[in-house]
Amino acid sequence: MMEQGGRALAAFMKPREEGKIHDEPPQQVIDVVTTFGKVMEYWMRDAKRAIELQTSIGHAYLDLWANTMRRLAGETSPPIAVPDPRDRRFSDPEWSSNTYFDFLKQAYLVTSRLANHLVEDAEGLDPVTRRKADFYMKQVVNAIAPSNFVFTNPELLRLTLQSNAENLVRGMKMLAEDIEAGHGELKIRQSDNSKFEVGRNLAITPGKVVYQNELMQLIQYTPTTPTVLNTPLLIVPPWINKYYILDLNPEKSFIKYCVDNGITVFTISWVNPDEHLAQKTFADYMREGPLEALDIVLKITGAPSAHTLGYCVGGTMLSITMAYLSAVSTAERIRSATMFTAQVDFERGGDLKLFTSDETQIEAIERQMAEHGYLEGGKMAMIFNFLRSNDLVWPYIISNYLKGEQPFPFDLLYWNSDSTRMPAANHSYYLRNCYLDNNLSKGAMEIDGVTLDLKKILVPIYTVATREDHIAPAESVYIGASMFGGDVEFVCAGSGHIAGIINPPAGKKYQYWTGARPQGENVEAWIKRSTEHPGSWWPHWLEWVRHFDPTEVPARIPGTAAGYPAIEDAPGSYVKVRA
């Protein structure tokens, strides 16, 4: 174990000794200290309040101690604190049957309850500070759980004793491999990545790359029906991760669903940028992304306009593109727009706003990007993982490095680890204008000297929020949907940012709500007065798209349009470049 641990340490130190990584005190640590300081200031500035807090803390632990003593004396005593039935960390029977582990479990739960009390009942905190304190406190509480350590986790302790600590040897080996894979940073493996390959068993819907530039490849998919709708569909995926979330496998593929239902589908596959694209701006991404792609789609198909679809920040980009077109052109090249969990108002942005809420945080990110000309994809992936650390971080630390178990192959988690870089100029503009200043919703965002106004977007819009979304909260999407000038069909789906979207009809999972155009600020109130439908919203969307122009034409074969021969087979080469 020491040998493998030494290898892990060497993998961590080597890039630092070679000057490839320059560690500096992270801005986030400073922000954590500052935030907790504001919380404790409330409790400490009033002597009576401080004494009451100390008394309640003392009582909680004394009650637990007395309860444990009664159990040790053979008495039956109900627990002081019990975990949520859905909390898998304490599922091992010994957490309840063994007094030692039961005491640790209850002490942790009592501590968690007191920690939440410190944040929730601290008065006078501004909303941003309260959200930060809540998030940081959850990270601390999740990290100190007794389930995360060998000597305080009954399952880990049994395994270690039974295997003579062989599990820790395997775990240290995997830790070293994961630090090496992250080039000096820990890249936690969440899936057996050897089982997947883009183009072999992921992103396998047939098609051709029919156009490319520095920033994107444009894929046109092979039809599976003899006729197709006259109006094609252009998909604008997020550039902060790869497009094939919409084409994981044939059973889950939204792209294949569209193709099989007679739609000519094109999708942008963004490049994984390096330092040579550091100065590519947000405007460059708009021009060389959706605007250029839209031109090519209309030339290839001969259609007067196209349906468009944007996922997450791809939807934000699509909204900005439509606002730009409404200001500079009278041509109606976009027939409709669909938004998947896309924000245009960031006042109530998700947990990512915690990392981008003030100037010092943005400047810290810009300093990181200045070093190489881009933000490493792994840094962004780690932030996303810690937004759900009890699902995406600690279970894998336990299973990988303490149990020494290889994770199971899981296509979604493979995609999650297949991160992309973000060029400095583009990402800085996005963070400042969206998360920091919220300029788009204020009508203050400028692209190439053009001021953007969402109210001037008269294109019919179908927008999907997901009820449990922590990245683009349903309320944020709901408020943003009310800012467009044209007709809006708002749908709220069950589950979260990914599962609520990648929900094919055959799965018969979750539900969705339809109702009136968004008004006001309360999405839960909207849900109460809306109609609930079981299963996937995909057929509802398909019917919405079809009603604009049901005209059908002979199926279009990729690579046969004059001037746009096939460059290579889908999924293309850009998507295969790993960070």
Side-chain angles (χ1 to χ4, degrees), residues 112-250:
S112 301
R113 192 166 61 201
L114 291 169
N116 291 333
H117 164 62
L118 285 175
V119 175
E120 292 173 3
D121 296 328
E123 298 176 4
L125 299 179
D126 63 88
V128 172
T129 299
R130 186 177 298 281
R131 285 188 61 191
K132 282 184 181 181
D134 181 65
F135 175 79
Y136 294 146
M137 189 64 82
K138 278 186 171 65
Q139 300 310 312
V140 172
V141 167
N142 291 346
I144 65 172
S147 54
N148 296 336
F149 306 95
V150 173
F151 291 105
T152 55
N153 182 324
E155 185 183 5
L156 289 177
L157 191 55
R158 284 197 309 270
L159 179 63
T160 303
L161 293 173
Q162 289 167 1
S163 68
N164 197 27
E166 197 173 316
N167 55 309
L168 299 180
V169 177
R170 295 193 304 268
M172 285 298 104
K173 182 175 182 293
M174 292 171 66
L175 178 65
E177 292 170 351
D178 289 354
I179 295 175
E180 288 168 355
H183 305 289
E185 306 281 359
L186 177 59
K187 184 176 182 180
I188 301 173
R189 70 181 83 183
Q190 298 171 321
S191 170
D192 183 355
N193 289 352
S194 65
K195 304 298 183 185
F196 298 106
E197 182 183 349
V198 175
R200 178 174 62 84
N201 55 2
L202 296 173
I204 59 173
T205 300
K208 304 288 184 183
V209 175
V210 293
Y211 180 79
Q212 68 182 36
N213 57 32
E214 276 191 307
L215 292 182
M216 63 98 178
Q217 288 187 317
L218 184 64
I219 300 170
Q220 180 183 356
Y221 289 93
T222 304
T224 58
T225 54
T227 61
V228 294
L229 290 179
N230 182 50
T231 307
L233 171 68
L234 170 63
I235 297 175
V236 184
W239 65 88
I240 63 173
N241 41 43
K242 296 185 177 179
Y243 86 87
Y244 66 87
I245 185 61
L246 294 171
D247 190 28
L248 281 175
N249 62 46

Side-chain angles (χ1 to χ4, degrees), residues 475-492:
E475 189 159 291
S476 178
V477 176
Y478 176 81
I479 292 169
S482 68
M483 296 181 175
F484 296 108
D487 293 335
V488 175
E489 178 77 19
F490 181 79
V491 172
C492 187

Side-chain angles (χ1 to χ4, degrees), residues 44-62:
M44 295 295 108
R45 69 169 177 251
D46 182 290
K48 181 182 177 183
R49 187 187 301 142
I51 292 171
E52 288 175 350
L53 175 64
Q54 293 166 11
T55 302
S56 66
I57 292 173
H59 277 311
Y61 289 117
L62 285 172

